[in-house]
Amino acid sequence: MQGSSMTTVWVNGVESGQVMPFDRGLAYGDGLFATMRVKHHEILFLAAHLQRLSQGAKRLGFNWQASQTLQERLIQQAISIGQGCIKLLLTRGCGGRGYAAPIETQITEVVSVHPIPEHYQHWQQQGISLISSDVMLGRQPRLAGIKHCNRLEQIFIKSTPLPLGFDDYLVLDEQGLVIESSMANLFFVDNHQAIYTPALTHCGVAGMMREQVMHGVLTLGYSVNVTPISLNQLADFSAAFVTNSLMGVVDVIRINDMTMNKHPLTHTLRTALDLAL
């Protein structure tokens, strides 16, 4: 990562600033975040990331729009590091009595800089294998889709070491429906070249890259079906891939004991959306 000598954390615009001990993000996970990829000194899909954060904040009950100052800081940091990851985390700030939210919100903004995991490039080239996790996601429609700061379920999922030969977990909800991997959204391709992605109306994270890929495959002439998918239905699909903002688009070559084919669409999407690592 370029620019490694620069300060890598800002809290409310203050370099190496501190989060207050009573911040609601720390106390209750009362916030949300985005991880944004920097490539060629630019943040990919910056406007989409900021819009998604604004929509998520509204769903959590507070209003937030990225200020011009924040946007300029993000752009300048991307110029400085060249390649890497910028994380933008928002909380409702301090205040309120217990769980009750304050009437007036003083939002905390935390910007931090990180490298892209080195193995993501290998994953793009070779594909990954998924195995079902025994941790099921609880259903809460009011939080479904938001990348909020309550990520204890993912911590439980990641706390179990992966079996040899597998790269990540396939995650189901408490009804046994396929939702996502531990850190990415899922897409499937059937023998008729139709694209499917799990419905996320009850739980799961609707990632920014998921939206970009859906637009991308529609532009390429494929149909996209957002629908509940059971574990048994996976046998109906010939190919699968995962997406998130850092790894881009990655083939899934195995799910449990099922072998999946690589699909030429994944390479096409990485080229069209400039996602190659």
Side-chain angles (χ1 to χ4, degrees):
M1 183 176 66
Q2 301 176 22
S4 58
S5 62
M6 296 187 65
T7 301
T8 55
V9 178
W10 292 259
V11 178
N12 293 330
V14 178
E15 295 184 8
S16 300
Q18 302 295 313
V19 174
M20 295 294 292
F22 301 112
D23 192 280
R24 295 179 62 87
L26 176 62
Y28 310 119
D30 189 2
L32 66 165
F33 64 98
T35 50
M36 303 177 286
R37 183 177 167 195
V38 177
K39 183 176 183 181
H40 304 317
H41 304 273
E42 294 184 354
I43 298 175
L44 301 184
F45 312 109
L46 175 58
H49 276 297
L50 297 180
Q51 181 183 36
R52 182 166 168 268
L53 282 170
S54 179
Q55 292 171 344
K58 186 175 182 179
R59 286 185 58 192
L60 290 181
F62 59 92
N63 293 317
W64 177 85
Q65 298 287 337
S67 67
Q68 186 65 34
T69 299
L70 175 60
Q71 292 184 60
E72 290 174 357
R73 184 177 300 115
L74 294 171
I75 292 169
Q76 184 56 51
Q77 190 59 32
I79 293 171
S80 298
I81 68 173
Q83 298 187 69
C85 165
I86 296 178
K87 181 176 181 178
L88 174 55
L89 184 147
L90 310 173
T91 81
R92 203 186 304 258
C94 298
R97 184 178 182 276
Y99 293 130
I103 296 175
E104 295 186 7
T105 302
Q106 299 293 324
I107 296 171
T108 300
E109 298 174 347
V110 181
V111 176
S112 57
V113 176
H114 312 270
I116 301 290
E118 293 182 1
H119 60 275
Y120 281 4
Q121 184 178 38
H122 175 76
W123 283 7
Q124 274 197 1
Q125 296 168 350
Q126 302 298 323
I128 63 172
S129 297
L130 303 178
I131 188 168
S132 297
S133 172
D134 60 3
V135 178
M136 306 292 184
L137 297 180
R139 289 185 153 207
Q140 175 46 270
R142 294 190 66 173
L143 293 176
I146 305 172
K147 198 168 186 178
H148 54 75
C149 293
N150 297 114
R151 302 257 65 94
L152 288 175
E153 290 174 320
Q154 282 67 34
I155 291 172
F156 285 143
I157 292 165
K158 289 290 197 180
S159 67
T160 302
L162 283 159
L164 185 65
F166 289 94
D167 304 290
D168 194 15
Y169 283 107
L170 177 75
V171 183
L172 313 179
D173 71 3
E174 59 191 21
Q175 299 296 317
L177 295 176
V178 173
I179 300 299
E180 57 197 9
S181 85
S182 76
M183 56 185 173
N185 289 120
L186 284 160
F187 289 83
F188 301 96
V189 188
D190 69 11
N191 290 325
H192 303 289
Q193 305 305 300
I195 311 296
Y196 295 79
T197 191
L200 303 178
T201 52
H202 295 284
C203 58
V205 175
M208 184 283 304
M209 189 54 63
R210 176 179 183 261
E211 180 181 355
Q212 300 301 319
V213 166
M214 290 172 69
H215 289 313
V217 296
L218 288 170
T219 300
L220 292 169
Y222 292 85
S223 64
V224 182
N225 303 278
V226 181
T227 183
I229 298 172
S230 70
L231 193 59
N232 290 335
Q233 285 178 273
L234 297 188
D236 299 333
F237 302 120
S238 59
F241 56 93
V242 293
T243 66
N244 74 20
S245 61
L246 299 187
M247 71 173 73
V249 177
V250 172
D251 290 286
V252 175
I253 58 176
R254 180 184 176 191
I255 300 178
N256 296 327
D257 59 354
M258 294 179 292
T259 299
M260 311 295 285
N261 300 316
K262 287 188 176 182
H263 197 283
L265 175 62
T266 58
H267 175 75
T268 301
L269 286 168
R270 284 194 293 267
T271 301
L273 299 175
D274 193 23
L275 301 175
L277 287 164

